Amino acid sequence: MGFKCQGLVCTFCVVMLLFLQETRAGIHSSNASRLNGRKKVSGCNLFRGRWVVDTSYPLYDSSGCLFIDDEFNCQKYGRRDNQYLKYSWQPDSCKIPRFNGADFLRRWRGKKIMFVGDSLSLNMWESLSCMIHAAVPKAKTTFSRRDSLSSVTFDSYGVTLYMYRTPYLVDIVRENVGKVLNLNSIEAGNAWKGMDMLIFNSWHWWVHTGRSQGWDYIRDGSALYKNMDRLTAFSKGLTTWGRWVDQNIDPSKTKVFFQGISPTHYQGKDWNQPKKSCSGEAVPLSGSSYPAGAPPAAAVVNKVLRSMKKPVYLLDITTLSQLRKDAHPSTYSDGSGTDCSHWCLPGLPDTWNQLLYAALIM
């Protein structure tokens, strides 16, 4: 009996050990999935799919939303075709919920949500503001625009959407040599604390050169550089941001998202039409893959997110946005030249926000 009992105990211990190992592996796998932006519901990857014609879109009219900057207001500046407004994103293995602005406000009543980043963050912030406003058009709102911090508050619900403008996430400081991009400093992060949701973004400005470059030197520790490989600099700066999140964010109080790399469409060779840009493009690319593949910056984002201790959900909008060569302002904005970087509103950023909504409720 003694030997049988000992055998049963040993068997039980082995079974429990295997169970614990599988549970830990499952937890690790779940965290890795979350960090990589591959949130799955019943096996569904929200970011792998295709664009389908959907005449129920757009969700709002640009003339009815006061939050849209002229640089994104393509209809106001003469874009006459509207087929680019008539698409919805369809994941391969599930259906995503249609955005419900009233439901969003109820879920986030009394909460503060902040977009942090560059003009692509501005694109997404204005989109979400318009989507919610369209759902509750009679709701009282308070709108404030400043250089670095803007906000839209839906007063009856106590929901405030902030936009904090900081293209690099890390600081630009004034030194004797001029404006210095400090890859190791985020003093501006004090303004991000106390939020219930944070949606970060960066990359667009890291590749700027010449007069459009936002700094004179780069500082990495004690070393000062006149220039640096931009992917290397981005990796160092984003690592500093990741360390800030790990040290300052309580996941039980604040949800953190990273807005994936938003692509440009200046070079038609990227989609096998070398003589073209976004100008004059009226329909998306078909299928679910982009000929040029993912931009190198996307790999940097994935690597940094995987190294972090705190959960950050990647809104992996890169590929689905690469397919939308038709959705840029092009020449239909208040700017000069052709804009193949930003996106018309209404337009593609509305889908980014629909995916944000899906990630929050699914």
Side-chain angles (χ1 to χ4, degrees):
M1 284 294 288
F3 285 104
K4 287 183 180 179
C5 189
Q6 287 178 0
L8 287 171
V9 169
C10 290
T11 301
F12 176 78
C13 290
V14 171
V15 170
M16 287 301 296
L17 180 60
L18 290 172
F19 173 78
L20 288 171
Q21 288 175 338
E22 288 181 3
T23 301
R24 287 170 182 160
I27 292 172
H28 176 77
S29 175
S30 174
N31 285 341
S33 174
R34 179 172 50 189
L35 293 179
N36 282 315
R38 305 294 187 186
K39 185 169 185 177
K40 294 184 178 181
V41 182
S42 300
C44 179
N45 181 336
L46 296 177
F47 308 102
R48 180 170 296 171
R50 58 194 174 90
W51 290 99
V52 297
V53 174
D54 189 335
T55 57
S56 70
Y57 284 85
L59 297 176
Y60 58 93
D61 189 284
S62 60
S63 64
C65 186
L66 301 177
F67 311 128
I68 302 177
D69 278 347
D70 283 349
E71 64 180 312
F72 310 138
N73 201 336
C74 303
Q75 298 290 309
K76 177 181 177 180
Y77 283 88
R79 183 163 184 174
R80 294 291 173 252
D81 68 300
N82 63 4
Q83 185 57 46
Y84 74 98
L85 298 171
K86 304 294 184 180
Y87 292 95
S88 63
W89 177 250
Q90 177 58 60
D92 287 337
S93 53
C94 70
K95 289 186 177 181
I96 53 178
R98 190 175 179 87
F99 183 83
N100 185 326
D103 177 67
F104 187 96
L105 288 173
R106 285 191 294 268
R107 290 173 182 270
W108 290 88
R109 184 183 293 274
K111 304 297 185 182
K112 296 181 291 185
I113 299 167
M114 179 178 279
F115 291 83
V116 182
D118 56 27
S119 51
L120 278 312
S121 293
L122 182 69
N123 229 173
M124 190 173 177
W125 172 70
E126 292 182 9
S127 162
L128 183 59
S129 300
C130 290
M131 291 167 74
I132 295 174
H133 180 262
V136 289
K138 296 182 179 180
K140 184 179 183 298
T141 59
T142 301
F143 184 37
S144 172
R145 289 298 298 265
R146 298 175 185 170
D147 289 340
S148 61
L149 182 64
S150 301
S151 65
V152 176
T153 300
F154 294 86
D155 298 311
S156 299
Y157 298 86
V159 175
T160 301
L161 308 179
Y162 293 96
M163 170 65 211
Y164 190 94
R165 196 77 173 261
T166 175
Y168 305 97
L169 298 182
V170 291
D171 296 328
I172 290 182
V173 297
R174 177 69 64 175
E175 296 189 18
N176 292 334
V177 293
K179 291 185 293 184
V180 176
L181 178 64
N182 191 334
L183 300 179
N184 312 117
S185 171
I186 302 188
E187 292 297 326
N190 289 326
W192 314 339
K193 296 177 180 178
M195 296 294 141
D196 299 287
M197 188 196 312
L198 288 163
I199 304 103
F200 291 97
N201 162 66
S202 188
W203 171 241
H204 184 64
W205 277 78
W206 290 85
V207 296
H208 285 195
T209 59
R211 292 182 178 179
S212 64
Q213 180 176 291
W215 42 267
D216 301 310
Y217 288 87
I218 294 178
R219 178 172 295 286
D220 184 17
S222 61
L224 201 63
Y225 300 92
K226 186 64 178 173
N227 205 351
M228 182 183 289
D229 175 81
R230 301 309 172 88
L231 271 176
T232 300
F234 178 55
S235 178
K236 289 176 179 287
L238 202 61
T239 298
T240 298
W241 164 82
R243 190 160 48 246
W244 182 91
V245 171
D246 282 342
Q247 293 172 354
N248 291 279
I249 294 299
D250 180 351
S252 69
K253 298 178 180 178
T254 306
K255 292 184 182 295
V256 181
F257 291 82
F258 194 91
Q259 179 185 340
I261 301 299
S262 177
T264 63
H265 289 97
Y266 288 105
Q267 300 185 21
K269 65 181 179 62
D270 289 344
W271 63 92
N272 298 327
Q273 292 183 308
K275 294 183 179 181
K276 291 192 174 184
S277 70
C278 74
S279 183
E281 294 296 305
V283 295
L285 289 168
S286 59
S288 58
S289 62
Y290 191 62
V300 172
V301 171
N302 278 309
K303 182 178 179 181
V304 170
L305 295 189
R306 283 196 299 267
S307 72
M308 293 171 63
K309 298 175 182 178
K310 300 291 176 66
V312 176
Y313 187 102
L314 174 62
L315 286 170
D316 197 2
I317 52 89
T318 301
T319 302
L320 65 90
S321 302
Q322 286 177 318
L323 300 175
R324 294 306 306 272
K325 58 185 173 60
D326 59 314
H328 295 284
S330 180
T331 57
Y332 301 108
S333 74
D334 68 336
S336 59
T338 300
D339 184 355
C340 298
S341 297
H342 302 100
W343 308 93
C344 295
L345 292 179
L348 175 65
D350 303 335
T351 297
W352 300 350
N353 282 310
Q354 186 178 7
L355 291 167
L356 171 67
Y357 178 66
L360 289 167
I361 71 172
M362 289 178 72

